[in-house]
Amino acid sequence: MAPIRPGRSHRPRGWERGRPGPAGAPGPLPTPAASRGGCQPPGPSRLPRTPRLWRGARRGRAGVGGGWMEAAGLGDAAPAMPAPGPRQRGQSCPCPGVRTRLPVLRWLPRYSLAWLQLDLIAGLTVGLTVVPQALAYAEVAGLPLQYGLYSSFMGCFVYCILGTAKDVTLGPTAIMSLLVSSYAFHEPVYAILLAFLSGCIQLAMGLLHLGFLLDFISSPVIKGFTSAASITISFNQVKNILGLQGIPRQFFLQVYETLRRIGETRAGDAVLGLACLAVLAGLRAMKSRLPRAARAEPLAARVSYLIVWTSATARNALVVLFAGLVAYSFQVMGSQPFMLTGSIPQGLPAFRLPRFSMAAPNGTVTFQSMVEDMGVGLAVVPLMGLLETVAIAKAFASQNDYRIDPNQELLAMGFANILGSFVSSYPITGSFGRTAVNAQSGVCTPAGGLVTGALVLLSLAYLTSLFYYIPKAALAAVIISAVVPMFDAGIFRALWRVKRLDLVPLCVTFLLCFWEVQYGIVAGVLVSGILLLYSIARPPIKVSEGDVLLVQPGSSLHFPAIECLRDAVCSRTLAGASPPRSVILDCCHISSIDYTVVVGLAELLQELRKHGLSLAFCSLQDPVLQVLLSADLEGFQHFPSWEEAERCGGAEPGGGGAAPFASTSQSSLLPAGLIQ
């Protein structure tokens, strides 16, 4: 998926970790590119004062996004806050643990009006993107459209306080909306409860430092899921582009019904939807190819660049606004050729606990029944939300030269979903597209999310009556334009060229996601796990035959692999016509072993001794050597290298060889019947 490339900008190293500045001052804020505007440090005099923290500025690397005004050459770069004086240093947080759990304390003491200016611009730009997308994604989730707006502001406020990446914006996304559609059954009560429970799971994972679990979801599984989701979500909106109603949501039935009823297409919706798609595609292409206006160019050229850049960035809002004006014009004239969004309740959602039961025609659905209905979704939704957020945060952190704390991101996501459920939000996660817009708009701190959240609240309070005239075809075009870049056709070709075995989990996930999303994700993870376990159980073993059999495992030995090693040794020593004098096990690649491996090696030592052969170990790493010495293996001998072991003739069965490092008399690991 490559919708918009994240902007590159300078970051004083250590701001996200709360590293103190000069003389114990709080860590500085991240800054946009030094050469293209934003929050760059002041003039040359700054370098001697903070040589380490502003090292990126001395390099002079320019960012892709830069500041919004500076990008157009309309203003000078915003200066950074000066180094804090003694009074400011005394006001810094005395408890490092608090700064770790509240990242806002790392940058808030040094906040400046210059940063505020750029955060305001970035927040407004993202807000113009999130409002139409929120309405559209609620449609994907199968919920009333106001729930998209309810889900778009709490994450902005929470992440400003708890988040460790300045660029990330939280809110509804296409992927998460598709998952909510599968597990919430188009019921707002289920969706809100799913957000609450997902937040609790994410919060617990963050407190227990379980972020490493995300590493077990492989890239082919993620690519297969996102590519299938791109097709599923896009085709789900075709009915709105064509003006069809009563189309089922299951993918294969949806394809069948859409093709069967394509003759019922409403001309007005089709024309408007295709026109919106064309405009969105054109503005996206225009922005990707827009040359940057140089400062030396005339003011008119720089203003033109600014207008085009702003239009392309806020293209979703412009298209929805244009379509709404067209629909309103037809309404005034007494005819309406479009399917409209309809009435959206005005006002802010009530702040209350989510409901843990639901009234139904045949009684009350209890909390236990609701949890059972959501089933595997309670694992899939929080994990996919965390995976999406952490992946986006890592991508922009690497682009912009700062680091994130994955476990702190889990805490931020957990609190955002828990508090979001109090204002009727469904599960949220990081949005790649809006995060890219945020970075390219020159955001300086997570405070830009406060502006975005405030804009959503203003829309709920005063603008919902205007949303009545938004055509569904325009919202469908916004969704399709957002999710089409998620389809990665090149991944199939790349895996075929790099490692074809990885095509198995990719294809399994991709195909099963068309049936049910949860089946595709679970099956892909299982297939990836099986391939991982197989590589552990059958490690590569290099065998060199001669007078001495040299056996070299290519990776660490764990209990599933010991039988493979024993078979590799015994098949070449006991079955051959002229067996070697001894066997040398080169352990240079083995960094850890377990108890089962030790038992297997003890049995192998005894089996070789029965046939008059010896087994010597060489190149043992300290942890492995300590385990083997503690095991007190009978006849255990080791050498520093295989050359020395071969020169000394290995370990003779009767102990007559050259003296190795250690030799013991009897193994205490084997059952008594196996000790001869």
Side-chain angles (χ1 to χ4, degrees):
M1 174 172 102
I4 308 177
R5 182 170 181 175
R8 188 175 186 88
S9 57
H10 290 301
R11 302 294 175 270
R13 300 198 174 190
W15 78 273
E16 75 289 354
R17 299 185 295 275
R19 181 183 299 167
L29 277 157
T31 60
S35 63
R36 294 185 181 175
C39 321
Q40 63 179 357
S45 60
R46 73 186 182 275
L47 295 179
R49 295 174 59 187
T50 55
R52 176 179 178 84
L53 297 179
W54 296 120
R55 181 167 51 189
R58 289 202 300 263
R59 294 193 193 111
R61 293 183 343 204
V64 174
W68 184 74
M69 295 179 65
E70 181 71 11
L74 296 180
D76 296 331
M81 288 261 315
R87 182 177 179 181
Q88 291 173 298
R89 289 195 291 267
Q91 293 173 347
S92 61
C93 180
C95 181
V98 175
R99 290 169 61 90
T100 301
R101 293 305 181 192
L102 295 176
V104 65
L105 298 178
R106 306 174 194 169
W107 53 264
L108 186 59
R110 298 182 60 114
Y111 202 72
S112 68
L113 292 177
W115 286 326
L116 175 62
Q117 176 188 3
L118 290 174
D119 285 345
L120 281 172
I121 294 170
L124 289 173
T125 306
V126 176
L128 293 175
T129 303
V130 70
V131 171
Q133 281 191 347
L135 298 172
Y137 289 151
E139 168 70 21
V140 175
L143 301 174
L145 299 190
Q146 66 268 23
Y147 285 92
L149 295 175
Y150 294 165
S151 307
S152 300
F153 62 89
M154 184 59 75
C156 300
F157 299 146
V158 173
Y159 196 83
C160 175
I161 300 173
L162 300 177
T164 60
K166 75 171 190 66
D167 301 299
V168 170
T169 61
L170 300 184
T173 64
I175 297 292
M176 191 55 62
S177 299
L178 179 64
L179 294 175
V180 171
S181 173
S182 300
Y183 298 116
F185 318 108
H186 309 163
E187 286 287 347
V189 176
Y190 271 88
I192 297 169
L193 182 60
L194 181 59
F196 177 79
L197 296 178
S198 297
C200 292
I201 294 172
Q202 292 166 340
L203 184 61
M205 290 179 65
L207 293 174
L208 297 176
H209 293 247
L210 297 179
F212 71 92
L213 293 177
L214 301 177
D215 299 334
F216 288 93
I217 304 179
S218 64
S219 180
V221 173
I222 298 172
K223 290 291 186 180
F225 167 63
T226 54
S227 296
S230 172
I231 297 175
T232 302
I233 295 171
S234 297
F235 202 89
N236 185 44
Q237 298 304 311
V238 170
K239 66 179 186 294
N240 290 327
I241 293 286
L242 302 180
L244 302 178
Q245 292 181 311
I247 302 295
R249 300 187 70 88
Q250 208 282 332
F251 179 75
F252 296 108
L253 294 176
Q254 194 177 91
V255 173
Y256 172 76
E257 283 294 317
T258 301
L259 296 178
R260 187 179 69 85
R261 298 174 51 189
I262 198 168
E264 304 175 17
T265 299
R266 294 165 55 106
D269 286 306
V271 171
L272 180 64
L274 294 176
C276 291
L277 279 175
V279 172
L280 289 170
L283 290 175
R284 178 189 291 274
M286 182 186 302
K287 184 177 181 180
S288 64
R289 294 171 174 81
L290 185 65
R292 182 172 295 278
R295 183 180 294 275
E297 293 187 10
L299 178 62
R302 288 180 282 160
V303 172
S304 300
Y305 168 84
L306 179 60
I307 294 174
V308 174
W309 183 87
T310 305
S311 301
T313 301
R315 57 185 176 274
N316 292 330
L318 291 179
V319 165
V320 169
L321 177 61
F322 170 78
L325 291 175
V326 172
Y328 179 76
S329 300
F330 278 102
Q331 187 81 8
V332 171
M333 293 186 294
S335 63
Q336 190 53 263
F338 310 124
M339 292 172 53
L340 301 182
T341 297
S343 299
I344 296 178
Q346 186 170 353
L348 304 180
F351 189 85
R352 61 190 178 191
L353 279 170
R355 293 165 55 186
F356 295 95
S357 62
M358 185 180 69
N362 56 350
T364 301
V365 182
T366 63
F367 173 73
Q368 181 179 355
S369 298
M370 296 176 72
V371 171
E372 291 174 353
D373 291 341
M374 288 184 280
V376 71
L378 292 176
V380 173
V381 170
L383 284 178
M384 291 306 299
L386 292 173
L387 182 66
E388 196 170 358
T389 301
V390 173
I392 292 171
K394 286 184 176 179
F396 282 85
S398 63
Q399 289 285 335
N400 295 335
D401 300 326
Y402 62 89
R403 297 185 62 188
I404 66 164
D405 181 356
N407 288 305
Q408 181 63 28
E409 292 295 304
L410 299 184
L411 296 177
M413 282 290 300
F415 276 111
N417 275 312
I418 291 174
L419 294 178
S421 67
F422 285 40
V423 290
S424 303
S425 165
Y426 67 81
I428 60 174
T429 184
S431 167
F432 190 93
R434 295 195 296 272
T435 298
V437 170
N438 201 28
Q440 292 186 345
S441 300
V443 69
C444 291
T445 71
L450 299 179
V451 183
T452 301
L455 188 61
V456 175
L457 291 177
L458 289 175
S459 300
L460 278 168
Y462 302 108
L463 301 180
T464 51
S465 59
L466 302 179
F467 297 156
Y468 177 92
Y469 297 100
I470 298 177
K472 288 188 175 181
L475 294 179
V478 170
I479 295 173
I480 294 174
S481 175
V483 301
V484 163
M486 290 164 45
F487 182 80
D488 188 0
I491 188 63
F492 296 91
R493 183 170 59 255
L495 291 181
W496 180 264
R497 184 177 65 253
V498 176
K499 188 175 182 181
R500 297 177 183 178
L501 190 61
D502 284 338
L503 283 170
V504 177
L506 173 71
C507 294
V508 168
T509 306
F510 180 77
L511 295 176
L512 288 183
C513 277
F514 290 117
W515 179 23
E516 289 289 347
V517 172
Q518 61 268 32
Y519 297 155
I521 296 174
V522 172
V525 171
L526 288 178
V527 171
S528 294
I530 291 173
L531 295 178
L532 175 64
L533 292 176
Y534 183 82
S535 66
I536 295 175
R538 295 296 180 266
I541 299 177
K542 181 181 178 181
V543 180
S544 302
E545 300 190 48
D547 292 339
V548 176
L549 186 71
L550 179 62
V551 180
Q552 187 181 67
S555 62
S556 292
L557 290 179
H558 300 285
F559 64 91
I562 186 60
E563 288 302 321
C564 177
L565 176 64
R566 291 182 60 183
D567 292 342
V569 173
C570 294
S571 63
R572 288 171 172 81
T573 56
L574 306 181
S578 56
R581 294 186 296 110
S582 60
V583 179
I584 298 176
L585 184 61
D586 188 353
C587 303
C588 63
H589 299 303
I590 300 177
S591 60
S592 64
I593 57 175
D594 53 43
Y595 177 80
T596 306
V597 172
V598 174
V599 173
L601 291 176
E603 295 174 350
L604 180 60
L605 275 166
Q606 289 200 355
E607 188 172 3
L608 292 176
R609 289 173 66 87
K610 288 180 184 179
H611 294 81
L613 300 174
S614 64
L615 174 63
F617 298 80
C618 69
S619 304
L620 286 168
Q621 300 184 26
D622 287 341
V624 179
L625 177 60
Q626 293 301 321
V627 171
L628 293 176
L629 291 177
S630 301
D632 195 27
L633 297 180
E634 179 184 0
F636 170 67
Q637 296 178 328
H638 65 97
F639 298 84
S641 65
W642 68 266
E643 293 90 348
E644 184 171 345
E646 185 176 16
R647 184 171 61 252
C648 296
E652 298 298 334
F661 282 109
S663 178
T664 57
S665 59
Q666 182 169 317
S667 173
S668 60
L669 293 172
L670 299 180
L674 294 179
I675 300 178
Q676 302 298 323

